[in-house]
Amino acid sequence: MDFSVIIPAKNEQKYLGLCLQSLSQLDYPREAYEVLVIDNGSTDKTVEIAQQYGAQVFVRPELTIAGLRNLGASHAQGRFLVFLDADCTVVSDWFTAASGWLEQADVCCFGGPPEVPEEGTWVQHTWFMVRGKHHLVEDVEWLESMNMFVRKEIFDRVHGFDETLTTCEDYDLSLRLRPYGRIVADKRIRAVHHGEAATLGHFFRKECWRGVSNISGLIRHGFRLRELPSLFAPVAFLLCLVVTIVALAVSVAKGGWPAICFFVVFLLGWQAPIFLLAMLKGKTSPSCQQRLGLYLLLNVYFMARGVALLRGWRR
């Protein structure tokens, strides 16, 4: 068997049927793959839907999402473990595109950043400019676990996902996989993520949640220099926000050009790097409006990650 598709789920009746239906329509031999749904104690029809589509179903309410994936891996028969989220769908040639990597011995992990649905919101399409890849195929440092293929023998060798992590478990796994081979992003291995944050509020909450395990991850795999920006930027953002609010209060209370000039200069100095980053990340978009939208999203992102880091330190 080539592939074992492992789908963690909790109260996913809205999307799971679409996910499993897309898997049933793959142009790949049915005997060459299996589907396992690992339920986290759903109270809706998630388990019933999974059973209707013939998936193997395991129910473990007490596990983290990393634990759910590890449980699926322990029951898997395929040479490659395929981690897919319940709110994703795949295209018919998903496995056909992936099969080109099966015999690449120097590749231990491959996949691609899930796309957003065509009818997605401006938040979803704009943020994909950050998440998406610019090349058809490229070596990367890590892959998201919602569309990730891993050699089972190597997954077992590194002991799978870290079950103590609430989030960022895919990044942590990728770091431990890298000594065993290349990690490759291939845009031809297409999955669509229907549950990507659709509004600013949803985006803020998701990034708070995604960033909550940053500190735990550092303790788990040790500090790496390349991670410094992801730690420094959110903290610097919060400090600049506080200073800006204080400067604004002083300029309003005392008035006068010195206070006003300080506020304006500091505000511009704080926001200029974020604006330039938005223009750089959005250079592939011809839409000025979309690049300005990315500038707004980056501000929300840094604020959310800063809040998450503060929560992580408090723990």
Side-chain angles (χ1 to χ4, degrees):
M1 183 176 291
D2 292 334
F3 303 111
S4 294
V5 184
I6 299 168
I7 306 173
K10 184 173 183 179
N11 295 330
E12 290 285 359
Q13 68 176 18
K14 180 178 180 181
Y15 293 115
L16 183 61
L18 296 174
C19 176
L20 296 176
Q21 183 179 24
S22 69
L23 290 172
S24 70
Q25 297 173 344
L26 293 171
D27 56 4
Y28 204 76
R30 186 61 186 86
E31 66 275 9
Y33 69 96
E34 62 180 350
V35 179
L36 301 89
V37 173
I38 319 300
D39 183 76
N40 200 207
S42 296
T43 56
D44 62 4
K45 296 182 178 180
T46 294
V47 170
E48 180 182 335
I49 293 171
Q51 292 170 339
Q52 288 173 353
Y53 278 92
Q56 300 179 53
V57 181
F58 303 88
V59 179
R60 292 294 295 272
E62 74 280 7
L63 295 180
T64 62
I65 192 167
L68 297 175
R69 294 191 176 109
N70 285 345
L71 177 63
S74 70
H75 291 279
Q77 301 298 313
R79 292 191 294 150
F80 280 80
L81 305 175
V82 186
F83 299 103
L84 182 70
D85 278 8
D87 56 358
C88 289
T89 56
V90 297
V91 297
S92 61
D93 65 349
W94 189 51
F95 278 157
T96 302
S99 63
W101 297 101
L102 291 182
E103 307 307 325
Q104 299 290 327
D106 63 330
V107 175
C108 67
C109 177
F110 57 89
E115 303 169 9
V116 298
E118 291 183 8
E119 68 279 8
T121 68
W122 73 268
V123 172
Q124 294 172 323
H125 283 287
T126 300
W127 192 242
F128 190 70
M129 291 193 295
V130 174
R131 293 178 50 249
K133 304 300 179 185
H134 297 300
H135 303 288
L136 183 65
V137 177
E138 59 183 289
D139 283 28
V140 295
E141 293 186 357
W142 70 286
L143 286 171
E144 296 172 83
S145 53
M146 63 179 74
N147 185 25
M148 173 191 271
F149 295 66
V150 186
R151 290 186 185 276
K152 188 177 190 304
E153 60 180 289
I154 297 177
F155 182 87
D156 292 338
R157 194 177 303 174
V158 301
H159 306 294
F161 290 100
D162 185 345
E163 298 185 20
T164 67
L165 296 177
T166 303
T167 64
C168 303
E169 74 285 349
D170 43 13
Y171 179 75
D172 173 79
L173 175 66
S174 297
L175 290 181
R176 291 183 284 115
L177 288 174
R178 286 176 60 195
Y180 297 93
R182 296 162 55 204
I183 299 176
V184 177
D186 186 340
K187 292 171 69 172
R188 295 168 297 186
I189 306 173
R190 295 179 56 212
V192 178
H193 185 209
H194 300 273
E196 196 66 31
T199 65
L200 282 177
H202 190 194
F203 179 79
F204 178 83
R205 292 190 298 273
K206 272 210 165 184
E207 291 305 324
C208 279
W209 177 77
R210 284 170 173 161
V212 75
S213 288
N214 275 11
I215 302 301
S216 300
L218 282 177
I219 295 173
R220 172 66 175 80
H221 57 251
F223 177 76
R224 295 167 182 262
L225 188 60
R226 67 175 64 92
E227 294 180 84
L228 184 61
S230 67
L231 293 174
F232 173 76
V235 174
F237 182 93
L238 291 183
L239 290 175
C240 289
L241 177 61
V242 171
V243 172
T244 300
I245 293 173
V246 171
L248 176 62
V250 170
S251 65
V252 170
K254 294 188 175 182
W257 285 109
I260 295 174
C261 287
F262 174 78
F263 166 71
V264 172
V265 170
F266 187 85
L267 178 63
L268 292 176
W270 165 37
Q271 286 294 302
I274 301 175
F275 181 80
L276 291 175
L277 179 61
M279 297 302 105
L280 177 64
K281 292 290 185 180
K283 63 182 179 181
T284 58
S285 172
S287 169
C288 181
Q289 183 178 0
Q290 192 172 37
R291 279 177 281 177
L292 290 175
L294 181 57
Y295 165 64
L296 173 60
L297 284 180
L298 285 171
N299 273 276
V300 176
Y301 170 83
F302 286 126
M303 181 179 292
R305 287 304 179 102
V307 171
L309 281 174
L310 290 178
R311 290 176 179 174
W313 280 117
R314 290 176 62 185
R315 292 183 180 184

